[in-house]
Amino acid sequence: MVTTSTKRERAAHLGPERRRPAVLDAAQAIAVRDGLGAVTIAAVAGSMAVTRPVIYSCYPDRVTLLDALLERESQSLLAATLDALHSASGDDPEQTFVDGYRALLHAVAARPEAWRLVFDARPDPEVARLVADARRRIVDASTRWIAPALERWWQTEDLERKLPALIELFVSSCEAAIRIVINPATDWSADDLAALYGQMMAAAYRTA
């Protein structure tokens, strides 16, 4: 019979580099279930059935652990959002918006816990900082994608003046759609919600 102490001894032999992803996964599971405040070195060690020194060998303190977790998740979410923007292209404005929202919302549906961690914990200062940084990069990427599209599709007048408001509308709509998808009580599928938001956004931009 393998005892818990034996398991813990062997777990430490994996080494910090190989163990860090598993530590972050365990911390994420605790944060999603109980909130970021519940993520402690002891809690993560307990969930992994290892001793606290094993966790300390990966991350020297709780703050460093949380920073690594939030950085990993925010970068993953940013990459998914940028991929959605890059995948949206075509000559049909409404279909292009639908395709972009669909790509984004399928990424959300594939990893709802990660998105819920960031969006549900925004009052935490560290989360807010990382989300704000990711949001700025999304705004920049959206501007590079949307500005020429508006000129091509609708020859939008006074575009330079209107663009900041139009970009804010688009990014805010993405955040709203994400919150709907990660809400456990929602009955919207990613495809249906993408169609709704794509149609609304195309109509709003057409009239701008």
mmCIF file of all heavy atoms in Angstrom, residues 97-98 101-102 105 173-174 176-182 186-200:
data_model
loop_
_atom_site.group_PDB
_atom_site.id
_atom_site.type_symbol
_atom_site.label_atom_id
_atom_site.label_comp_id
_atom_site.label_asym_id
_atom_site.label_seq_id
_atom_site.Cartn_x
_atom_site.Cartn_y
_atom_site.Cartn_z
ATOM 1 N N PHE A 97 -18.617 39.789 -38.766
ATOM 2 C CA PHE A 97 -18.786 39.988 -37.327
ATOM 3 C C PHE A 97 -19.263 38.711 -36.650
ATOM 4 O O PHE A 97 -18.786 38.351 -35.567
ATOM 5 C CB PHE A 97 -19.779 41.124 -37.059
ATOM 6 C CG PHE A 97 -19.165 42.487 -37.082
ATOM 7 C CD1 PHE A 97 -19.430 43.363 -38.118
ATOM 8 C CD2 PHE A 97 -18.317 42.905 -36.055
ATOM 9 C CE1 PHE A 97 -18.858 44.628 -38.140
ATOM 10 C CE2 PHE A 97 -17.744 44.158 -36.068
ATOM 11 C CZ PHE A 97 -18.011 45.033 -37.119
ATOM 12 N N VAL A 98 -20.197 38.009 -37.263
ATOM 13 C CA VAL A 98 -20.684 36.749 -36.692
ATOM 14 C C VAL A 98 -19.533 35.756 -36.545
ATOM 15 O O VAL A 98 -19.387 35.099 -35.505
ATOM 16 C CB VAL A 98 -21.812 36.153 -37.561
ATOM 17 C CG1 VAL A 98 -22.154 34.726 -37.099
ATOM 18 C CG2 VAL A 98 -23.050 37.025 -37.507
ATOM 19 N N TYR A 101 -17.259 36.807 -33.544
ATOM 20 C CA TYR A 101 -17.871 36.481 -32.252
ATOM 21 C C TYR A 101 -17.910 34.970 -32.039
ATOM 22 O O TYR A 101 -17.682 34.488 -30.924
ATOM 23 C CB TYR A 101 -19.295 37.040 -32.173
ATOM 24 C CG TYR A 101 -19.372 38.512 -31.899
ATOM 25 C CD1 TYR A 101 -19.738 39.408 -32.893
ATOM 26 C CD2 TYR A 101 -19.097 39.022 -30.627
ATOM 27 C CE1 TYR A 101 -19.821 40.773 -32.648
ATOM 28 C CE2 TYR A 101 -19.180 40.384 -30.376
ATOM 29 C CZ TYR A 101 -19.546 41.254 -31.389
ATOM 30 O OH TYR A 101 -19.622 42.604 -31.140
ATOM 31 N N ARG A 102 -18.180 34.222 -33.091
ATOM 32 C CA ARG A 102 -18.244 32.764 -32.943
ATOM 33 C C ARG A 102 -16.892 32.204 -32.511
ATOM 34 O O ARG A 102 -16.816 31.363 -31.603
ATOM 35 C CB ARG A 102 -18.688 32.107 -34.254
ATOM 36 C CG ARG A 102 -18.786 30.579 -34.142
ATOM 37 C CD ARG A 102 -19.153 29.926 -35.459
ATOM 38 N NE ARG A 102 -20.490 30.294 -35.895
ATOM 39 C CZ ARG A 102 -20.750 31.012 -36.982
ATOM 40 N NH1 ARG A 102 -19.764 31.430 -37.755
ATOM 41 N NH2 ARG A 102 -21.992 31.298 -37.304
ATOM 42 N N LEU A 105 -16.366 33.162 -28.800
ATOM 43 C CA LEU A 105 -17.242 32.507 -27.830
ATOM 44 C C LEU A 105 -17.013 31.003 -27.764
ATOM 45 O O LEU A 105 -17.215 30.389 -26.709
ATOM 46 C CB LEU A 105 -18.705 32.835 -28.145
ATOM 47 C CG LEU A 105 -19.042 34.326 -28.033
ATOM 48 C CD1 LEU A 105 -20.515 34.575 -28.364
ATOM 49 C CD2 LEU A 105 -18.715 34.864 -26.642
ATOM 50 N N SER A 173 -18.935 44.951 -26.091
ATOM 51 C CA SER A 173 -19.882 43.915 -26.505
ATOM 52 C C SER A 173 -19.246 42.528 -26.385
ATOM 53 O O SER A 173 -19.929 41.556 -26.025
ATOM 54 C CB SER A 173 -20.352 44.158 -27.941
ATOM 55 O OG SER A 173 -19.359 43.800 -28.886
ATOM 56 N N CYS A 174 -17.941 42.431 -26.673
ATOM 57 C CA CYS A 174 -17.249 41.146 -26.497
ATOM 58 C C CYS A 174 -17.259 40.730 -25.033
ATOM 59 O O CYS A 174 -17.512 39.562 -24.703
ATOM 60 C CB CYS A 174 -15.813 41.256 -27.003
ATOM 61 S SG CYS A 174 -15.648 41.400 -28.797
ATOM 62 N N ALA A 176 -19.412 41.628 -22.750
ATOM 63 C CA ALA A 176 -20.781 41.271 -22.370
ATOM 64 C C ALA A 176 -21.127 39.865 -22.848
ATOM 65 O O ALA A 176 -21.726 39.063 -22.107
ATOM 66 C CB ALA A 176 -21.769 42.289 -22.950
ATOM 67 N N ALA A 177 -20.746 39.545 -24.087
ATOM 68 C CA ALA A 177 -21.032 38.213 -24.623
ATOM 69 C C ALA A 177 -20.295 37.136 -23.833
ATOM 70 O O ALA A 177 -20.844 36.053 -23.569
ATOM 71 C CB ALA A 177 -20.644 38.159 -26.099
ATOM 72 N N ILE A 178 -19.061 37.424 -23.445
ATOM 73 C CA ILE A 178 -18.292 36.468 -22.650
ATOM 74 C C ILE A 178 -18.988 36.201 -21.325
ATOM 75 O O ILE A 178 -19.102 35.050 -20.877
ATOM 76 C CB ILE A 178 -16.868 36.991 -22.420
ATOM 77 C CG1 ILE A 178 -16.067 36.933 -23.722
ATOM 78 C CG2 ILE A 178 -16.152 36.185 -21.328
ATOM 79 C CD1 ILE A 178 -14.752 37.676 -23.675
ATOM 80 N N ARG A 179 -19.470 37.248 -20.679
ATOM 81 C CA ARG A 179 -20.137 37.073 -19.383
ATOM 82 C C ARG A 179 -21.398 36.222 -19.510
ATOM 83 O O ARG A 179 -21.742 35.472 -18.599
ATOM 84 C CB ARG A 179 -20.463 38.442 -18.778
ATOM 85 C CG ARG A 179 -19.250 39.146 -18.211
ATOM 86 C CD ARG A 179 -19.664 40.336 -17.338
ATOM 87 N NE ARG A 179 -18.504 40.839 -16.628
ATOM 88 C CZ ARG A 179 -17.659 41.752 -17.114
ATOM 89 N NH1 ARG A 179 -17.868 42.264 -18.310
ATOM 90 N NH2 ARG A 179 -16.617 42.155 -16.415
ATOM 91 N N ILE A 180 -22.082 36.351 -20.622
ATOM 92 C CA ILE A 180 -23.270 35.512 -20.838
ATOM 93 C C ILE A 180 -22.862 34.053 -20.965
ATOM 94 O O ILE A 180 -23.478 33.163 -20.370
ATOM 95 C CB ILE A 180 -24.038 35.983 -22.088
ATOM 96 C CG1 ILE A 180 -24.642 37.375 -21.852
ATOM 97 C CG2 ILE A 180 -25.144 34.985 -22.452
ATOM 98 C CD1 ILE A 180 -25.254 38.003 -23.082
ATOM 99 N N VAL A 181 -21.815 33.783 -21.721
ATOM 100 C CA VAL A 181 -21.385 32.397 -21.948
ATOM 101 C C VAL A 181 -20.899 31.745 -20.658
ATOM 102 O O VAL A 181 -21.156 30.554 -20.423
ATOM 103 C CB VAL A 181 -20.296 32.347 -23.036
ATOM 104 C CG1 VAL A 181 -19.673 30.961 -23.114
ATOM 105 C CG2 VAL A 181 -20.882 32.733 -24.384
ATOM 106 N N ILE A 182 -20.185 32.498 -19.812
ATOM 107 C CA ILE A 182 -19.637 31.884 -18.589
ATOM 108 C C ILE A 182 -20.650 31.849 -17.451
ATOM 109 O O ILE A 182 -20.357 31.292 -16.393
ATOM 110 C CB ILE A 182 -18.362 32.603 -18.115
ATOM 111 C CG1 ILE A 182 -18.646 34.054 -17.709
ATOM 112 C CG2 ILE A 182 -17.279 32.523 -19.178
ATOM 113 C CD1 ILE A 182 -17.434 34.777 -17.144
ATOM 114 N N THR A 186 -27.013 30.446 -18.116
ATOM 115 C CA THR A 186 -27.370 30.847 -19.472
ATOM 116 C C THR A 186 -27.863 29.670 -20.302
ATOM 117 O O THR A 186 -27.446 28.530 -20.083
ATOM 118 C CB THR A 186 -26.170 31.502 -20.189
ATOM 119 O OG1 THR A 186 -26.612 32.043 -21.433
ATOM 120 C CG2 THR A 186 -25.080 30.482 -20.466
ATOM 121 N N ASP A 187 -28.752 29.969 -21.241
ATOM 122 C CA ASP A 187 -29.188 28.919 -22.165
ATOM 123 C C ASP A 187 -28.794 29.272 -23.596
ATOM 124 O O ASP A 187 -29.298 28.707 -24.554
ATOM 125 C CB ASP A 187 -30.700 28.687 -22.070
ATOM 126 C CG ASP A 187 -31.504 29.933 -22.453
ATOM 127 O OD1 ASP A 187 -30.891 31.003 -22.663
ATOM 128 O OD2 ASP A 187 -32.742 29.832 -22.534
ATOM 129 N N TRP A 188 -27.839 30.215 -23.722
ATOM 130 C CA TRP A 188 -27.345 30.603 -25.037
ATOM 131 C C TRP A 188 -26.175 29.711 -25.446
ATOM 132 O O TRP A 188 -25.251 29.508 -24.674
ATOM 133 C CB TRP A 188 -26.859 32.055 -25.025
ATOM 134 C CG TRP A 188 -27.953 33.078 -25.076
ATOM 135 C CD1 TRP A 188 -28.554 33.689 -24.022
ATOM 136 C CD2 TRP A 188 -28.561 33.613 -26.261
ATOM 137 N NE1 TRP A 188 -29.513 34.576 -24.462
ATOM 138 C CE2 TRP A 188 -29.533 34.552 -25.830
ATOM 139 C CE3 TRP A 188 -28.386 33.400 -27.628
ATOM 140 C CZ2 TRP A 188 -30.314 35.261 -26.737
ATOM 141 C CZ3 TRP A 188 -29.169 34.108 -28.529
ATOM 142 C CH2 TRP A 188 -30.122 35.032 -28.079
ATOM 143 N N SER A 189 -26.218 29.230 -26.689
ATOM 144 C CA SER A 189 -25.044 28.539 -27.235
ATOM 145 C C SER A 189 -24.109 29.577 -27.817
ATOM 146 O O SER A 189 -24.512 30.709 -28.127
ATOM 147 C CB SER A 189 -25.466 27.552 -28.328
ATOM 148 O OG SER A 189 -25.921 28.258 -29.480
ATOM 149 N N ALA A 190 -22.858 29.216 -27.989
ATOM 150 C CA ALA A 190 -21.882 30.134 -28.581
ATOM 151 C C ALA A 190 -22.307 30.550 -29.981
ATOM 152 O O ALA A 190 -22.189 31.722 -30.355
ATOM 153 C CB ALA A 190 -20.508 29.477 -28.610
ATOM 154 N N ASP A 191 -22.839 29.620 -30.761
ATOM 155 C CA ASP A 191 -23.247 29.935 -32.129
ATOM 156 C C ASP A 191 -24.425 30.902 -32.157
ATOM 157 O O ASP A 191 -24.438 31.861 -32.944
ATOM 158 C CB ASP A 191 -23.611 28.651 -32.881
ATOM 159 C CG ASP A 191 -22.388 27.809 -33.209
ATOM 160 O OD1 ASP A 191 -21.276 28.369 -33.284
ATOM 161 O OD2 ASP A 191 -22.543 26.579 -33.388
ATOM 162 N N ASP A 192 -25.441 30.654 -31.331
ATOM 163 C CA ASP A 192 -26.622 31.521 -31.321
ATOM 164 C C ASP A 192 -26.269 32.923 -30.835
ATOM 165 O O ASP A 192 -26.747 33.925 -31.382
ATOM 166 C CB ASP A 192 -27.719 30.926 -30.439
ATOM 167 C CG ASP A 192 -28.351 29.686 -31.052
ATOM 168 O OD1 ASP A 192 -28.163 29.472 -32.277
ATOM 169 O OD2 ASP A 192 -29.022 28.937 -30.323
ATOM 170 N N LEU A 193 -25.437 33.001 -29.808
ATOM 171 C CA LEU A 193 -25.058 34.304 -29.272
ATOM 172 C C LEU A 193 -24.181 35.052 -30.284
ATOM 173 O O LEU A 193 -24.304 36.280 -30.425
ATOM 174 C CB LEU A 193 -24.322 34.122 -27.949
ATOM 175 C CG LEU A 193 -24.226 35.372 -27.053
ATOM 176 C CD1 LEU A 193 -25.607 35.886 -26.682
ATOM 177 C CD2 LEU A 193 -23.431 35.057 -25.792
ATOM 178 N N ALA A 194 -23.312 34.338 -30.977
ATOM 179 C CA ALA A 194 -22.469 34.976 -31.992
ATOM 180 C C ALA A 194 -23.325 35.561 -33.112
ATOM 181 O O ALA A 194 -23.050 36.673 -33.591
ATOM 182 C CB ALA A 194 -21.483 33.958 -32.564
ATOM 183 N N ALA A 195 -24.356 34.842 -33.501
ATOM 184 C CA ALA A 195 -25.241 35.353 -34.551
ATOM 185 C C ALA A 195 -25.954 36.624 -34.091
ATOM 186 O O ALA A 195 -26.053 37.600 -34.839
ATOM 187 C CB ALA A 195 -26.269 34.290 -34.936
ATOM 188 N N LEU A 196 -26.427 36.633 -32.842
ATOM 189 C CA LEU A 196 -27.121 37.800 -32.311
ATOM 190 C C LEU A 196 -26.192 39.010 -32.242
ATOM 191 O O LEU A 196 -26.523 40.094 -32.744
ATOM 192 C CB LEU A 196 -27.680 37.487 -30.927
ATOM 193 C CG LEU A 196 -28.339 38.668 -30.190
ATOM 194 C CD1 LEU A 196 -29.569 39.150 -30.947
ATOM 195 C CD2 LEU A 196 -28.712 38.267 -28.761
ATOM 196 N N TYR A 197 -25.034 38.827 -31.636
ATOM 197 C CA TYR A 197 -24.108 39.951 -31.483
ATOM 198 C C TYR A 197 -23.546 40.400 -32.831
ATOM 199 O O TYR A 197 -23.339 41.600 -33.060
ATOM 200 C CB TYR A 197 -22.978 39.580 -30.526
ATOM 201 C CG TYR A 197 -23.293 39.922 -29.094
ATOM 202 C CD1 TYR A 197 -23.958 39.027 -28.269
ATOM 203 C CD2 TYR A 197 -22.940 41.163 -28.564
ATOM 204 C CE1 TYR A 197 -24.263 39.347 -26.957
ATOM 205 C CE2 TYR A 197 -23.245 41.487 -27.250
ATOM 206 C CZ TYR A 197 -23.903 40.579 -26.450
ATOM 207 O OH TYR A 197 -24.217 40.901 -25.152
ATOM 208 N N GLY A 198 -23.288 39.467 -33.719
ATOM 209 C CA GLY A 198 -22.782 39.839 -35.037
ATOM 210 C C GLY A 198 -23.765 40.688 -35.806
ATOM 211 O O GLY A 198 -23.397 41.699 -36.423
ATOM 212 N N GLN A 199 -25.035 40.303 -35.760
ATOM 213 C CA GLN A 199 -26.074 41.081 -36.439
ATOM 214 C C GLN A 199 -26.227 42.469 -35.816
ATOM 215 O O GLN A 199 -26.338 43.476 -36.531
ATOM 216 C CB GLN A 199 -27.404 40.323 -36.378
ATOM 217 C CG GLN A 199 -27.422 39.041 -37.193
ATOM 218 C CD GLN A 199 -28.560 38.113 -36.795
ATOM 219 O OE1 GLN A 199 -29.437 38.472 -36.010
ATOM 220 N NE2 GLN A 199 -28.546 36.907 -37.339
ATOM 221 N N MET A 200 -26.213 42.543 -34.493
ATOM 222 C CA MET A 200 -26.356 43.831 -33.809
ATOM 223 C C MET A 200 -25.194 44.751 -34.114
ATOM 224 O O MET A 200 -25.375 45.941 -34.365
ATOM 225 C CB MET A 200 -26.505 43.625 -32.297
ATOM 226 C CG MET A 200 -27.794 42.970 -31.863
ATOM 227 S SD MET A 200 -28.080 43.063 -30.080
ATOM 228 C CE MET A 200 -26.649 42.164 -29.435
#
